[in-house]
Amino acid sequence: MAGTWIFVEQRNGNIRKVTFEMLSEAQKWGDEVSAVVFGKGVAGLAPELAKYGAAKVYVADADVFAQYNTGAFVAQLAAMIAEYKPNAVLFAHTFNGRDLAARISQKLELGLATDCIAAEISAGKGVFTRSIYAGKALAKVEVAGDPVMATIRAGVFEVVEKAGAGEVVNVAVAATAADVYQNVKEFIPTVSARPELTEADVVCSGGRGCKGPEGIALVEQLADLMGGAVGGSRAAIDSGWLGHEYQVGQTGKVVNPTLYVAAGISGAIQHLAGMSSSKYIVAINTDEEAPIFGVSDVGAVGDLFKVIPALIDELKK
Amino acid sequence: MKVLVLVKQTFDTEAKIELKDGKISDAGINMIINPYDEVAVEEGIRLKEKGIATEVVVVSAGADKAIEAIRTALAMGADRGVLVQQDVAADEFARAKALAKVISEQAPSLVLAGHVAADDGSSQVPTRIAEILGWPHINVATTLEIADGKATCNCEADGGSQVIEVALPAVISTQVSLNEPRYPSMKGIMQAKKKPVDTVAAEAVESKTKIVEFSLPAAKAAGKKVTGEPADLAKEIANFIKNEAKIEIKK
Ligand SMILES: Cc1cc2nc3c(=O)[nH]c(=O)nc-3n(C[C@H](O)[C@H](O)[C@H](O)COP(=O)(O)OP(=O)(O)OC[C@H]3O[C@@H](n4cnc5c(N)ncnc54)[C@H](O)[C@@H]3O)c2cc1C
Ligand SMILES: Nc1ncnc2c1ncn2[C@@H]1O[C@H](COP(=O)(O)O)[C@@H](O)[C@H]1O
């Protein structure tokens, strides 16, 4: 048996932090933890994965894996699971991770727990906690299967360094160009010097109270001062002040930063769904009764156009 | 071309969640079509209006009352419905199996679904269905174009967005920005009552996963509310950010 596998999320050789989070957490279950990486020219990633405890790094290196595509990735992973028989395979709950996980689970007729915020695996069984009804309830899900399958939400596990052997296992490539049935005509990267919303340690978001691009610019200045990401409520996105990819909430992204700053956001239940699990929450709102204050550690009743500039000055001191 | 739309009946997104006998209680809850599925229904109807689709069939698996969700979709303009009677506790595997069977029987060229259900939000069912049928799937689509036996979508992706083209038949899962769903008209509601809805029993398939416990998250205690001059508020927040949250400031 090949222990617990962590499927590595990477693009152009940059490993996403959630991969290290999963590697770190999986050490707690006692089974051997290994990383699985598909790509083109990715063998060099092994030392970075070993730093977080990967005993082995299974590498499938081929042109067909240069970018994510469902057909080739599913074919490859299915062949590897059949050959090495891992006890569990964990994926990040990203667009690619959840696509691959659901597809392979169905192919192998397995159960799958998605978007998990807590996990424990032992004796061929996984018990996972999922946040349901947009965070208004929690469900503990038991997944028995061979292997146990789950996708994990970014930002919920701590990254802990622990040296692993990082032995590279070059696996036979089982996928060919014939397995690719999606034609990706164009990839348009989000160009931003700021960290990815779902991975950022600090997220500053603006809402309708920002009243326009000028208000959002203040939120951006504040975020930059802390090396944070910028997000918005649906009202800010619908008004066109921020791109769709910046929406935080039930229909947007779920964020889990150390610090979340909500400026001019009322705190509708659908917004809270995307940010209420942040470790610390600061809200700035003119309305003393705004529901956002119900989840805030510090709720400043005031005008963001006055408070944020003063806060920027204060932080710079 | 026949288009089939999957709709799940879910709790209103404003609903307050309570537990009864260790389970999520649906007492007094207003039920709606999963918001993403409403977008899928709208897209199906638009394809018909454009002359691309010839028929829009709405399919829902769940309790008998899920027929309300189907009726709403029919009132929006879909043509007919199929209710798949299934225990609402069926997991994604069992639901995908039951729905895929109905899809095979209906033989559409395109299946539209939401990319996630607003209740248990697992983002699995359409992907699993595509795998069972051996069809391509485009997930989190923000645009959709059908031409020459192909579907092309803009869709959300990790680190950006992408344009993907697949051959039909295919499954497409929608993001809410795809369109703005219409409200059913009075005439639509009247017509919906006469549109056919078939009821079929779900294929008996065992779930692969089991929910062993439901709970409510510990309510986050509201912290401190501060009022005063902007400068005082700024001091208070800055102190919290530096000393409590311990965030490093890039000067
Ligand atoms: C199915 C569904 C899904 C949804 N998904 C999402 C989602 O993913 N994300 C999301 O955010 N919303 C979502 N919504 C919308 C949500 O219900 C709210 O409408 C939205 O979050 C409101 O955004 P807001 O707080 O910016 O605006 P508002 O509710 O209008 O609040 C603006 C706030 O700004 C304050 N304000 C005004 N001026 C100032 C000032 N000068 N300084 C400081 N404060 C000021 C006001 O007091 C007010 O509290 C969804 C809704 C539905 C039905
Ligand atoms: N019981 C169901 N009946 C019909 N469609 C469903 C059902 N469950 C899930 N779906 C479809 O699959 C999508 C994603 O659901 P889920 O995988 O549960 O997050 C939903 O938006 C629906 O379109």
Side-chain angles (χ1 to χ4, degrees):
Chain A
M1 290 297 235
T4 301
W5 280 6
I6 306 299
F7 193 83
V8 176
E9 279 278 335
Q10 61 93 21
R11 173 170 278 282
N12 301 327
N14 295 315
I15 302 174
R16 293 179 63 136
K17 192 171 153 216
V18 59
T19 300
F20 304 134
E21 292 166 0
M22 293 191 289
L23 281 170
S24 302
E25 186 73 9
Q27 304 296 332
K28 295 182 183 168
W29 309 320
D31 219 353
E32 182 182 84
V33 182
S34 296
V36 176
V37 57
F38 296 179
K40 178 66 196 152
V42 287
L45 298 178
E48 212 180 330
L49 295 161
K51 228 166 82 181
Y52 303 95
K56 294 197 183 75
V57 179
Y58 294 87
V59 180
D61 205 299
D63 287 333
V64 72
F65 305 130
Q67 43 173 323
Y68 178 77
N69 73 86
T70 311
F73 275 53
V74 169
Q76 179 66 29
L77 189 56
M80 287 171 63
I81 289 173
E83 180 173 354
Y84 296 97
K85 303 184 173 40
N87 294 325
V89 187
L90 302 188
F91 305 80
H93 193 71
T94 53
F95 292 116
N96 294 344
R98 70 193 214 191
D99 181 62
L100 179 58
R103 202 102 196 188
I104 193 99
S105 296
Q106 188 58 45
K107 189 180 173 72
L108 306 179
E109 304 231 311
L110 294 167
L112 169 69
T114 48
D115 200 15
C116 301
I117 57 172
E120 203 172 335
I121 299 175
S122 62
K125 199 169 79 182
V127 180
F128 301 96
T129 306
R130 306 187 56 241
S131 140
I132 57 172
Y133 293 91
K136 288 183 271 185
L138 298 168
K140 235 182 212 173
V141 187
E142 224 174 70
V143 184
D146 200 1
V148 170
M149 301 285 228
T151 70
I152 306 292
R153 181 179 289 186
V156 294
F157 298 141
E158 222 179 309
V159 175
V160 184
E161 286 197 23
K162 172 185 178 254
E167 181 203 334
V168 173
V169 182
N170 284 303
V171 303
V173 173
T176 68
D179 292 311
V180 181
Y181 50 75
Q182 294 151 315
N183 176 10
V184 179
K185 300 177 103 175
E186 200 186 346
F187 181 83
I188 309 121
T190 307
V191 205
S192 172
R194 301 190 181 100
E196 170 103 26
L197 203 44
T198 54
E199 293 193 342
D201 202 35
V202 175
V203 174
C204 298
S205 291
R208 199 193 309 277
C210 287
K211 300 192 169 75
E214 305 75 41
I216 297 292
L218 283 176
V219 175
E220 287 173 338
Q221 278 177 41
L222 181 61
D224 289 341
L225 200 54
M226 299 184 278
V230 171
S233 70
R234 177 146 135 196
I237 274 73
D238 287 352
S239 304
W241 307 335
L242 280 167
H244 184 79
E245 62 274 27
Y246 296 102
Q247 183 172 319
V248 172
Q250 185 173 331
T251 37
K253 302 227 158 76
V254 176
V255 300
N256 255 310
T258 304
L259 174 68
Y260 188 86
V261 181
I265 294 177
S266 60
I269 188 85
Q270 298 92 350
H271 187 78
L272 300 185
M275 46 64 72
S276 59
S277 60
S278 305
K279 190 157 180 210
Y280 298 108
I281 298 171
V282 169
I284 305 166
N285 198 306
T286 41
D287 174 11
E288 204 170 324
E289 304 296 323
I292 190 76
F293 289 136
V295 298
S296 306
D297 297 283
V298 177
V301 185
D303 182 349
L304 71 92
F305 288 92
K306 293 186 182 132
V307 177
I308 296 182
L311 174 58
I312 289 172
D313 286 345
E314 197 65 42
L315 287 174
K316 280 185 178 163
K317 274 185 195 165
Chain B
M1 165 174 112
K2 190 195 275 188
V3 174
L4 188 147
V5 187
L6 295 175
V7 301
K8 185 178 189 194
Q9 190 180 39
T10 57
F11 285 21
D12 189 331
T13 55
E14 305 278 347
K16 188 171 179 335
I17 305 296
E18 276 164 0
L19 295 183
K20 188 166 178 268
D21 304 328
K23 295 222 161 70
I24 307 267
S25 164
D26 63 358
I29 301 276
N30 180 31
M31 302 298 283
I32 59 166
I33 296 185
N34 180 36
Y36 303 86
D37 303 355
E38 208 179 357
V39 170
V41 173
E42 174 66 31
E43 199 65 19
I45 296 167
R46 288 189 190 184
L47 287 173
K48 192 172 171 197
E49 287 167 349
K50 284 188 210 153
I52 296 170
T54 47
E55 189 186 28
V56 179
V57 184
V58 179
V59 179
S60 186
D64 286 347
K65 67 177 174 192
I67 198 162
E68 297 158 13
I70 294 176
R71 291 272 176 226
T72 306
L74 297 179
M76 287 170 71
D79 297 301
R80 61 186 177 87
V82 180
L83 172 68
V84 185
Q85 289 171 313
Q86 189 174 41
D87 183 350
V88 288
D91 77 351
E92 297 83 0
F93 173 78
R95 262 184 287 149
K97 279 283 203 187
L99 291 166
K101 181 154 179 279
V102 173
I103 294 168
S104 310
E105 287 161 5
Q106 297 288 335
S109 303
L110 177 68
V111 170
L112 294 170
H115 86 88
V116 62
D119 48 11
D120 50 18
S122 66
S123 309
Q124 291 189 36
V125 172
T127 317
R128 283 180 177 272
I129 288 172
E131 180 63 29
I132 296 169
L133 300 171
W135 292 5
H137 174 214
I138 300 181
N139 209 349
V140 211
T142 54
T143 66
L144 168 63
E145 251 171 77
I146 304 283
D148 308 324
K150 288 182 186 141
T152 309
C153 296
N154 281 305
C155 56
E156 291 184 4
D158 299 313
S161 62
Q162 55 191 5
V163 182
I164 298 191
E165 177 193 87
V166 297
L168 298 177
V171 179
I172 311 274
S173 302
T174 61
Q175 175 57 297
V176 278
S177 50
L178 182 61
N179 60 45
E180 190 69 47
R182 69 194 68 190
Y183 289 104
S185 64
M186 216 44 207
K187 190 167 152 231
I189 294 169
M190 295 313 289
Q191 283 172 342
K193 291 183 180 150
K194 297 190 208 98
K195 290 180 178 172
V197 179
D198 289 336
T199 301
V200 298
E203 194 187 0
V205 179
E206 289 249 353
S207 290
K208 300 278 180 188
T209 60
K210 195 168 79 200
I211 296 183
V212 289
E213 187 189 302
F214 287 103
S215 61
L216 298 183
K220 194 172 160 56
K224 199 158 146 192
K225 210 186 280 181
V226 287
T227 52
E229 289 302 310
D232 300 328
L233 299 180
K235 273 205 186 79
E236 188 86 33
I237 300 173
N239 180 39
F240 179 81
I241 288 177
K242 286 178 177 167
N243 302 320
E244 192 79 30
K246 298 198 167 39
I247 303 295
E248 194 189 329
I249 307 302
K250 307 200 168 21
K251 288 184 188 165

Short mmCIF file of all heavy atoms in Angstrom, two decimals, chain A residues 261-308:
data_model
loop_
_atom_site.label_atom_id
_atom_site.label_comp_id
_atom_site.label_asym_id
_atom_site.label_seq_id
_atom_site.Cartn_x
_atom_site.Cartn_y
_atom_site.Cartn_z
N VAL A 261 -10.68 42.41 6.22
CA VAL A 261 -11.20 43.76 6.45
C VAL A 261 -12.36 44.00 5.50
O VAL A 261 -12.21 43.87 4.28
CB VAL A 261 -10.10 44.83 6.23
CG1 VAL A 261 -10.66 46.22 6.50
CG2 VAL A 261 -8.89 44.56 7.12
N ALA A 262 -13.54 44.30 6.05
CA ALA A 262 -14.73 44.57 5.24
C ALA A 262 -15.04 46.05 5.32
O ALA A 262 -15.34 46.56 6.40
CB ALA A 262 -15.91 43.75 5.75
N ALA A 263 -14.94 46.74 4.20
CA ALA A 263 -15.20 48.18 4.19
C ALA A 263 -16.44 48.48 3.36
O ALA A 263 -16.50 48.12 2.18
CB ALA A 263 -13.99 48.92 3.62
N GLY A 264 -17.45 49.06 3.98
CA GLY A 264 -18.66 49.41 3.25
C GLY A 264 -19.43 48.19 2.80
O GLY A 264 -20.07 48.20 1.75
N ILE A 265 -19.37 47.13 3.60
CA ILE A 265 -20.10 45.88 3.31
C ILE A 265 -21.08 45.64 4.44
O ILE A 265 -20.69 45.65 5.61
CB ILE A 265 -19.11 44.70 3.17
CG1 ILE A 265 -18.21 44.90 1.95
CG2 ILE A 265 -19.86 43.37 3.10
CD1 ILE A 265 -17.15 43.84 1.76
N SER A 266 -22.36 45.42 4.09
CA SER A 266 -23.37 45.30 5.15
C SER A 266 -23.27 43.98 5.91
O SER A 266 -23.56 43.92 7.10
CB SER A 266 -24.77 45.43 4.55
OG SER A 266 -24.99 44.42 3.59
N GLY A 267 -22.83 42.92 5.21
CA GLY A 267 -22.73 41.62 5.89
C GLY A 267 -23.93 40.73 5.64
O GLY A 267 -24.40 40.05 6.54
N ALA A 268 -24.41 40.73 4.39
CA ALA A 268 -25.50 39.82 4.01
C ALA A 268 -25.03 38.39 4.21
O ALA A 268 -23.85 38.09 4.08
CB ALA A 268 -25.89 40.05 2.55
N ILE A 269 -25.99 37.52 4.51
CA ILE A 269 -25.67 36.12 4.80
C ILE A 269 -24.84 35.49 3.67
O ILE A 269 -23.92 34.72 3.92
CB ILE A 269 -26.98 35.33 5.08
CG1 ILE A 269 -26.69 33.92 5.57
CG2 ILE A 269 -27.93 35.30 3.90
CD1 ILE A 269 -26.44 33.83 7.03
N GLN A 270 -25.12 35.89 2.42
CA GLN A 270 -24.38 35.29 1.30
C GLN A 270 -22.94 35.80 1.25
O GLN A 270 -22.06 35.16 0.70
CB GLN A 270 -25.07 35.59 -0.04
CG GLN A 270 -26.46 35.01 -0.16
CD GLN A 270 -27.54 35.96 0.26
OE1 GLN A 270 -27.26 37.03 0.83
NE2 GLN A 270 -28.79 35.61 0.02
N HIS A 271 -22.70 36.99 1.81
CA HIS A 271 -21.32 37.47 1.89
C HIS A 271 -20.60 36.77 3.04
O HIS A 271 -19.46 36.31 2.88
CB HIS A 271 -21.26 38.99 2.06
CG HIS A 271 -19.86 39.53 1.96
ND1 HIS A 271 -19.22 39.70 0.76
CD2 HIS A 271 -18.96 39.85 2.92
CE1 HIS A 271 -17.97 40.13 0.98
NE2 HIS A 271 -17.79 40.22 2.29
N LEU A 272 -21.28 36.66 4.17
CA LEU A 272 -20.68 36.01 5.34
C LEU A 272 -20.24 34.59 5.01
O LEU A 272 -19.24 34.10 5.53
CB LEU A 272 -21.67 35.99 6.52
CG LEU A 272 -22.17 37.33 7.05
CD1 LEU A 272 -23.03 37.12 8.29
CD2 LEU A 272 -21.02 38.28 7.37
N ALA A 273 -20.99 33.94 4.12
CA ALA A 273 -20.66 32.56 3.73
C ALA A 273 -19.24 32.46 3.20
O ALA A 273 -18.62 31.41 3.29
CB ALA A 273 -21.64 32.07 2.67
N GLY A 274 -18.74 33.54 2.65
CA GLY A 274 -17.41 33.48 2.03
C GLY A 274 -16.29 33.95 2.91
O GLY A 274 -15.12 33.82 2.53
N MET A 275 -16.60 34.52 4.08
CA MET A 275 -15.51 35.08 4.86
C MET A 275 -15.60 34.91 6.37
O MET A 275 -14.67 35.25 7.09
CB MET A 275 -15.33 36.58 4.54
CG MET A 275 -16.57 37.45 4.49
SD MET A 275 -17.50 37.65 6.03
CE MET A 275 -16.41 38.71 6.97
N SER A 276 -16.72 34.35 6.86
CA SER A 276 -16.89 34.36 8.32
C SER A 276 -15.94 33.41 9.05
O SER A 276 -15.80 33.49 10.26
CB SER A 276 -18.34 34.08 8.70
OG SER A 276 -18.72 32.84 8.19
N SER A 277 -15.25 32.54 8.31
CA SER A 277 -14.29 31.68 9.00
C SER A 277 -12.89 32.30 9.05
O SER A 277 -11.94 31.67 9.49
CB SER A 277 -14.24 30.30 8.34
OG SER A 277 -13.85 30.41 7.00
N SER A 278 -12.77 33.55 8.63
CA SER A 278 -11.49 34.26 8.75
C SER A 278 -11.12 34.33 10.24
O SER A 278 -11.99 34.45 11.10
CB SER A 278 -11.60 35.69 8.22
OG SER A 278 -12.08 35.69 6.90
N LYS A 279 -9.83 34.30 10.52
CA LYS A 279 -9.41 34.29 11.94
C LYS A 279 -9.78 35.60 12.64
O LYS A 279 -10.36 35.59 13.71
CB LYS A 279 -7.90 34.03 12.00
CG LYS A 279 -7.43 33.76 13.39
CD LYS A 279 -6.13 32.98 13.40
CE LYS A 279 -5.70 32.72 14.82
NZ LYS A 279 -4.25 32.64 14.95
N TYR A 280 -9.42 36.72 12.04
CA TYR A 280 -9.77 38.02 12.62
C TYR A 280 -10.53 38.84 11.58
O TYR A 280 -10.16 38.86 10.41
CB TYR A 280 -8.51 38.80 13.02
CG TYR A 280 -7.69 38.11 14.07
CD1 TYR A 280 -6.46 37.53 13.74
CD2 TYR A 280 -8.12 38.06 15.41
CE1 TYR A 280 -5.69 36.91 14.71
CE2 TYR A 280 -7.35 37.43 16.38
CZ TYR A 280 -6.13 36.85 16.03
OH TYR A 280 -5.37 36.23 16.98
N ILE A 281 -11.58 39.51 12.04
CA ILE A 281 -12.38 40.31 11.11
C ILE A 281 -12.50 41.75 11.62
O ILE A 281 -12.82 41.97 12.80
CB ILE A 281 -13.79 39.70 10.92
CG1 ILE A 281 -13.67 38.29 10.30
CG2 ILE A 281 -14.67 40.60 10.04
CD1 ILE A 281 -14.96 37.49 10.26
N VAL A 282 -12.21 42.67 10.73
CA VAL A 282 -12.36 44.09 11.04
C VAL A 282 -13.39 44.65 10.06
O VAL A 282 -13.32 44.36 8.87
CB VAL A 282 -11.02 44.85 10.89
CG1 VAL A 282 -11.22 46.35 10.94
CG2 VAL A 282 -10.02 44.41 11.95
N ALA A 283 -14.36 45.41 10.56
CA ALA A 283 -15.35 46.00 9.66
C ALA A 283 -15.40 47.51 9.85
O ALA A 283 -15.27 48.00 10.98
CB ALA A 283 -16.73 45.39 9.93
N ILE A 284 -15.57 48.19 8.75
CA ILE A 284 -15.74 49.65 8.79
C ILE A 284 -17.07 49.94 8.08
O ILE A 284 -17.23 49.61 6.90
CB ILE A 284 -14.59 50.38 8.07
CG1 ILE A 284 -13.25 49.95 8.66
CG2 ILE A 284 -14.77 51.89 8.15
CD1 ILE A 284 -12.04 50.33 7.81
N ASN A 285 -18.01 50.51 8.81
CA ASN A 285 -19.33 50.73 8.25
C ASN A 285 -20.00 51.90 8.99
O ASN A 285 -19.87 52.01 10.21
CB ASN A 285 -20.18 49.45 8.40
CG ASN A 285 -21.38 49.44 7.49
OD1 ASN A 285 -22.18 50.37 7.50
ND2 ASN A 285 -21.51 48.39 6.69
N THR A 286 -20.71 52.71 8.24
CA THR A 286 -21.36 53.88 8.85
C THR A 286 -22.61 53.50 9.65
O THR A 286 -23.04 54.24 10.52
CB THR A 286 -21.81 54.89 7.76
OG1 THR A 286 -22.36 54.15 6.68
CG2 THR A 286 -20.64 55.73 7.27
N ASP A 287 -23.15 52.32 9.31
CA ASP A 287 -24.40 51.91 9.95
C ASP A 287 -24.12 51.05 11.18
O ASP A 287 -23.68 49.91 11.06
CB ASP A 287 -25.25 51.13 8.92
CG ASP A 287 -26.51 50.55 9.52
OD1 ASP A 287 -26.84 50.91 10.68
OD2 ASP A 287 -27.15 49.74 8.83
N GLU A 288 -24.42 51.60 12.32
CA GLU A 288 -24.17 50.92 13.58
C GLU A 288 -24.84 49.54 13.65
O GLU A 288 -24.40 48.65 14.35
CB GLU A 288 -24.72 51.81 14.70
CG GLU A 288 -24.09 51.57 16.03
CD GLU A 288 -24.51 52.65 17.02
OE1 GLU A 288 -24.66 53.83 16.59
OE2 GLU A 288 -24.70 52.32 18.17
N GLU A 289 -25.96 49.40 12.91
CA GLU A 289 -26.75 48.15 12.95
C GLU A 289 -26.32 47.14 11.88
O GLU A 289 -26.95 46.10 11.73
CB GLU A 289 -28.24 48.47 12.74
CG GLU A 289 -28.83 49.47 13.72
CD GLU A 289 -28.82 48.93 15.14
OE1 GLU A 289 -29.04 47.71 15.29
OE2 GLU A 289 -28.56 49.71 16.07
N ALA A 290 -25.29 47.44 11.11
CA ALA A 290 -24.90 46.55 10.01
C ALA A 290 -24.59 45.15 10.55
O ALA A 290 -23.84 45.00 11.52
CB ALA A 290 -23.69 47.12 9.27
N PRO A 291 -25.15 44.11 9.92
CA PRO A 291 -24.93 42.74 10.41
C PRO A 291 -23.45 42.31 10.42
O PRO A 291 -23.08 41.44 11.18
CB PRO A 291 -25.72 41.87 9.43
CG PRO A 291 -26.52 42.78 8.58
CD PRO A 291 -26.10 44.18 8.80
N ILE A 292 -22.64 42.96 9.61
CA ILE A 292 -21.22 42.59 9.57
C ILE A 292 -20.59 42.74 10.96
O ILE A 292 -19.68 41.99 11.32
CB ILE A 292 -20.44 43.45 8.52
CG1 ILE A 292 -19.02 42.93 8.28
CG2 ILE A 292 -20.37 44.92 8.91
CD1 ILE A 292 -18.92 41.71 7.44
N PHE A 293 -21.12 43.67 11.76
CA PHE A 293 -20.56 43.87 13.10
C PHE A 293 -20.80 42.66 14.00
O PHE A 293 -20.08 42.46 14.97
CB PHE A 293 -21.14 45.14 13.75
CG PHE A 293 -20.65 46.42 13.12
CD1 PHE A 293 -21.52 47.46 12.83
CD2 PHE A 293 -19.30 46.58 12.82
CE1 PHE A 293 -21.06 48.64 12.25
CE2 PHE A 293 -18.83 47.75 12.24
CZ PHE A 293 -19.72 48.79 11.95
N GLY A 294 -21.79 41.86 13.63
CA GLY A 294 -22.07 40.65 14.40
C GLY A 294 -20.98 39.60 14.33
O GLY A 294 -20.91 38.70 15.16
N VAL A 295 -20.11 39.68 13.32
CA VAL A 295 -19.04 38.70 13.21
C VAL A 295 -17.65 39.35 13.31
O VAL A 295 -16.63 38.69 13.14
CB VAL A 295 -19.10 37.90 11.86
CG1 VAL A 295 -20.40 37.11 11.77
CG2 VAL A 295 -18.95 38.82 10.66
N SER A 296 -17.64 40.65 13.61
CA SER A 296 -16.36 41.37 13.60
C SER A 296 -15.69 41.38 14.96
O SER A 296 -16.35 41.51 15.98
CB SER A 296 -16.58 42.82 13.17
OG SER A 296 -17.26 42.86 11.96
N ASP A 297 -14.37 41.26 14.97
CA ASP A 297 -13.62 41.40 16.21
C ASP A 297 -13.52 42.88 16.57
O ASP A 297 -13.62 43.25 17.73
CB ASP A 297 -12.22 40.83 16.04
CG ASP A 297 -12.27 39.34 15.76
OD1 ASP A 297 -12.49 38.59 16.71
OD2 ASP A 297 -12.16 38.95 14.58
N VAL A 298 -13.29 43.69 15.54
CA VAL A 298 -13.31 45.14 15.74
C VAL A 298 -14.27 45.72 14.71
O VAL A 298 -14.10 45.52 13.51
CB VAL A 298 -11.92 45.78 15.56
CG1 VAL A 298 -12.01 47.29 15.69
CG2 VAL A 298 -10.93 45.22 16.57
N GLY A 299 -15.30 46.38 15.18
CA GLY A 299 -16.26 47.01 14.28
C GLY A 299 -16.18 48.52 14.46
O GLY A 299 -16.54 49.05 15.50
N ALA A 300 -15.69 49.18 13.44
CA ALA A 300 -15.54 50.64 13.53
C ALA A 300 -16.74 51.29 12.86
O ALA A 300 -16.97 51.10 11.67
CB ALA A 300 -14.24 51.06 12.86
N VAL A 301 -17.50 52.03 13.64
CA VAL A 301 -18.66 52.73 13.09
C VAL A 301 -18.17 54.07 12.55
O VAL A 301 -17.89 55.00 13.31
CB VAL A 301 -19.74 52.95 14.18
CG1 VAL A 301 -20.99 53.58 13.56
CG2 VAL A 301 -20.09 51.64 14.87
N GLY A 302 -18.02 54.12 11.23
CA GLY A 302 -17.50 55.36 10.66
C GLY A 302 -17.47 55.31 9.15
O GLY A 302 -17.77 54.27 8.53
N ASP A 303 -17.10 56.43 8.57
CA ASP A 303 -17.06 56.61 7.12
C ASP A 303 -15.73 56.09 6.59
O ASP A 303 -14.67 56.59 6.96
CB ASP A 303 -17.23 58.11 6.82
CG ASP A 303 -17.24 58.40 5.33
OD1 ASP A 303 -16.93 57.49 4.53
OD2 ASP A 303 -17.56 59.55 4.98
N LEU A 304 -15.80 55.11 5.71
CA LEU A 304 -14.57 54.50 5.22
C LEU A 304 -13.66 55.50 4.50
O LEU A 304 -12.45 55.34 4.49
CB LEU A 304 -14.89 53.29 4.33
CG LEU A 304 -15.50 53.51 2.94
CD1 LEU A 304 -14.43 53.61 1.86
CD2 LEU A 304 -16.43 52.37 2.60
N PHE A 305 -14.29 56.52 3.91
CA PHE A 305 -13.48 57.53 3.19
C PHE A 305 -12.62 58.35 4.16
O PHE A 305 -11.66 58.99 3.76
CB PHE A 305 -14.38 58.44 2.34
CG PHE A 305 -14.93 57.73 1.15
CD1 PHE A 305 -16.17 57.09 1.22
CD2 PHE A 305 -14.21 57.65 -0.04
CE1 PHE A 305 -16.69 56.41 0.12
CE2 PHE A 305 -14.72 56.97 -1.14
CZ PHE A 305 -15.96 56.34 -1.06
N LYS A 306 -13.00 58.35 5.42
CA LYS A 306 -12.19 59.05 6.42
C LYS A 306 -11.35 58.07 7.23
O LYS A 306 -10.20 58.34 7.55
CB LYS A 306 -13.11 59.83 7.38
CG LYS A 306 -13.81 60.98 6.66
CD LYS A 306 -14.60 61.83 7.64
CE LYS A 306 -15.33 62.93 6.90
NZ LYS A 306 -16.73 63.02 7.32
N VAL A 307 -11.96 56.92 7.53
CA VAL A 307 -11.26 55.96 8.41
C VAL A 307 -10.08 55.28 7.70
O VAL A 307 -9.01 55.16 8.29
CB VAL A 307 -12.24 54.90 8.97
CG1 VAL A 307 -11.49 53.88 9.82
CG2 VAL A 307 -13.34 55.56 9.79
N ILE A 308 -10.27 54.89 6.45
CA ILE A 308 -9.17 54.15 5.79
C ILE A 308 -7.92 55.02 5.62
O ILE A 308 -6.83 54.59 5.96
CB ILE A 308 -9.61 53.50 4.45
CG1 ILE A 308 -10.68 52.42 4.73
CG2 ILE A 308 -8.42 52.84 3.75
CD1 ILE A 308 -11.17 51.67 3.51
#
